[in-house]
Amino acid sequence: MTAPILTLVGRSSSHFTRVTRLFAQELGVAYTFHIVKDLRALESAAYSGNPALRLPSLIAPSGTWYGSLNICRELARHARTPRRVVWPEQLHGATLANVQELTLQAMATEVELIMNDAPQSALATKRRESLTGTLRWLDQNVDAVLEALPARDLSYLEVALYCLLTHLEFRQVLSTEPYEHLRRFAATFGERDSARATAFVFD
Ligand SMILES: N[C@@H](CCC(=O)N[C@@H](CS)C(=O)NCC(=O)O)C(=O)O
């Protein structure tokens, strides 16, 4: 058997990395997984050259792709069996587009809170408030949005939302207990083989 031509650079405990791993699993794309050991490393080389010092990245024959959306698109180009994927630009109307925006913003806010050395600061307090308000809003809108999504096998929105919700619990940033619509979505999505195969663990 030949080695995969793609290398994913990330961490098994990272929600942005899980988005890409879940996509790869759904699309049947093989890759070698290279783990970034230290998330506080200050050299871009530790993040396969990403000057923003972030993960994940995908090293492919076409180039090195930074960020989960770029990576998912490249994975889709490598899919053996094409699947119907809904991308962010296909989300029409304010509510659909806002769910996408708020999901990604909440993922970024969570990163900030985890990386923050001053959890009692005014900024951290604001970020926690932002996360709580966002989850409340997402909980009120998620059912209508799932209904309105175009016919699909997979959407970047649902994968990101699933990774956000499970990561909040995994890192104990915030309990999702009060958000019953979001929890129902996560429970249903979590039955996929791709979700089971990519559970968060610390490397
Ligand atoms: N826009 C990027 C965000 C990536 C990101 O924030 N990744 C986190 C790990 S889940 C990270 O690299 N954190 C390091 C840091 O904040 O310094 C994506 O979609 O992949």
Side-chain angles (χ1 to χ4, degrees), residues 14-16 39 53-56 67-68 111 115:
S14 141
H15 51 0
F16 283 110
L39 213 49
L53 311 182
R54 302 261 172 177
L55 55 87
S68 54
V111 171
M115 300 294 289

Side-chain angles (χ1 to χ4, degrees), residues 23 39 98:
F23 254 79
L39 213 49
N98 287 342

Side-chain angles (χ1 to χ4, degrees), residues 41-100:
L42 296 178
E43 318 78 44
S44 62
Y47 308 85
S48 58
N50 186 344
L53 311 182
R54 302 261 172 177
L55 55 87
S57 302
L58 185 76
I59 304 170
S62 56
T64 298
W65 301 86
Y66 304 142
S68 54
L69 181 56
N70 278 342
I71 294 172
C72 289
R73 291 189 203 275
E74 180 63 1
L75 290 170
R77 290 186 280 268
H78 283 263
R80 289 228 191 92
T81 322
R83 303 198 70 197
R84 293 169 308 168
V85 182
V86 173
W87 299 106
E89 61 272 21
Q90 292 166 262
L91 303 179
H92 301 301
T95 310
L96 270 177
N98 287 342
V99 167
Q100 178 72 80

